[in-house]
Amino acid sequence: LRQLERGLHPIAVMKALAHNLGMTRLHDEGEKITFNPFQNEDTVGGLIRGDPCEVTHCGWRLGNNLIARAKVKPLDTPTDVRTG
C-alpha cells in the first residue's frame, strides 16, 4: 500500500503482489505465441487454436492452476512465433 501512496502505478503493485504470493506469469507482454484457448483470451475475436498471436497482457498461474488467461490479439504477419 505504501507503494500506491508513493504514486507507483496500481498495475505494477498488483503484479508485484501476485509474484510475492507465489504466482508466476504466463507469457510476457509483446511475446508472439500460438493461440491456446485454455491459456489465452482472444481480445479481438476470430482466433482458433494454433493461430499466431501477440500477448497484450500476461496471464497468471499459481502452481498448476491457471488464475488468469493471457490476453492476446492476432498477429498481422506470422513471424517468429513461439509454440506452446
Side-chain angles (χ1 to χ4, degrees):
L1 294 176
R2 290 183 186 148
Q3 298 298 332
L4 289 172
E5 290 171 353
R6 292 182 182 139
L8 192 62
H9 195 278
I11 297 297
V13 173
M14 292 303 294
K15 286 180 180 180
L17 177 62
H19 179 74
N20 288 337
L21 290 173
M23 292 185 192
T24 55
R25 292 172 72 124
L26 177 64
H27 307 303
D28 291 315
E29 286 88 356
E31 186 176 354
K32 293 171 179 55
I33 61 171
T34 55
F35 182 66
N36 177 342
F38 297 108
Q39 296 181 347
N40 312 131
E41 179 182 339
D42 181 0
T43 60
V44 176
L47 286 173
I48 58 172
R49 187 180 185 103
D51 281 351
C53 58
E54 181 178 348
V55 178
T56 58
H57 295 87
C58 72
W60 291 95
R61 288 186 176 277
L62 183 57
N64 291 329
N65 298 312
L66 182 65
I67 303 301
R69 295 185 295 164
K71 295 181 191 269
V72 299
K73 65 178 184 177
L75 277 181
D76 293 329
T77 54
T79 59
D80 297 329
V81 176
R82 196 187 101 210
T83 58

